[in-house]
Amino acid sequence: MSRSIRVELNWPQENTVIVGDRHFFAYDRSGAVHVIASRCAHRGGPLHLGRIEDGKLRCPWHGNTFRVDRLCARGVAVVQRGSKVIAYLPVTDPDADESPAVVHSIVLAE
Ligand code: FES
């Protein structure tokens, strides 16, 4: 059985979560908030530092782009209640101390 870490965000002021050496970020797509791992499929670049251009997220490392409407397929479970976004982040190493999660406010550039 997989475990998860429950993290509550005050959306949209808080949109980035750091758990150990992993980053996750929240973004809005058509009024629904999604939370995904900030790890580029190419070489692991920090997608939360990328730019949104014409509906695509451009990775800051090598410039590959990913359609924003397809990023949610890589997302984690999310419950949204007004300005509260509750995300359930996967635990990758049950023996590692992955708490507490630290919430930052890093905003995707548009
Ligand atoms: S790591 Fe993202 S484009 Fe290379």
Side-chain angles (χ1 to χ4, degrees):
M1 186 168 130
S2 62
R3 288 183 37 221
S4 61
I5 300 169
R6 181 185 186 279
V7 179
E8 192 169 303
L9 301 168
N10 292 309
W11 174 259
Q13 293 81 13
E14 299 172 336
N15 64 5
T16 304
V17 181
I18 299 173
V19 181
D21 62 354
R22 299 178 298 149
H23 287 65
F24 296 84
F25 70 92
Y27 67 98
D28 179 286
R29 179 179 159 237
S30 303
V33 177
H34 299 271
V35 176
I36 67 168
S38 179
R39 182 170 171 77
C40 179
H42 178 227
R43 292 214 153 165
L47 293 177
H48 66 285
L49 299 179
R51 300 184 67 82
I52 301 283
E53 301 171 355
D54 297 326
K56 294 180 180 175
L57 173 59
R58 181 174 297 280
C59 177
W61 279 10
H62 307 105
N64 287 350
T65 57
F66 305 93
R67 285 178 47 177
V68 172
D69 62 348
R70 293 191 176 168
L71 289 175
C72 58
R74 301 171 45 192
V76 303
V78 170
V79 175
Q80 184 175 3
R81 294 193 182 111
S83 63
K84 295 283 185 206
V85 171
I86 302 163
Y88 296 88
L89 310 177
V91 171
T92 55
D93 180 357
D95 296 327
D97 180 12
E98 293 194 306
S99 63
V102 179
V103 178
H104 289 260
S105 296
I106 299 172
V107 179
L108 286 172
E110 288 194 58

